[in-house]
Amino acid sequence: MPKACSEAALSLLQCMERSDCCVKDKRSVYECLKLQDDEECKAQRNAYYMCKHSQLNMRTRIRGTRAY
């Protein structure tokens, strides 16, 4: 995993492990991510998406990542 998004990925993983989908429903983190009905981790999911998207966007690669 690239180091640029490792903090966002770790934050998303920890949030998903604490979510009701994983705790109450006994699903895996992968299954809960695929469902995408979890409102608890929406901010972390968006932060991870924006981080990964900025790696692909050439304009952002030149200018650097924005502070949110």
Side-chain angles (χ1 to χ4, degrees), residues 29-51:
V29 174
Y30 179 76
E31 291 173 339
C32 292
L33 281 171
K34 290 295 179 186
L35 290 176
Q36 295 185 358
D37 62 349
D38 190 18
E39 290 294 322
E40 298 173 35
C41 302
K42 194 170 188 175
Q44 286 86 356
R45 183 189 303 259
N46 190 36
Y48 182 67
Y49 168 77
M50 292 302 291
C51 181

Side-chain angles (χ1 to χ4, degrees), residues 5 15 28 36 42 60 67:
C5 297
C15 182
S28 69
Q36 295 185 358
K42 194 170 188 175
T60 307

Side-chain angles (χ1 to χ4, degrees), residues 8-18 29:
L10 184 61
S11 174
L12 176 61
L13 179 64
Q14 289 173 346
C15 182
M16 290 303 295
E17 287 175 343
R18 292 188 309 259
V29 174

Side-chain angles (χ1 to χ4, degrees), residues 17-30:
E17 287 175 343
R18 292 188 309 259
S19 71
D20 289 341
C21 181
C22 289
V23 176
K24 290 182 181 177
D25 298 338
K26 304 287 188 211
R27 294 184 179 146
S28 69
V29 174
Y30 179 76

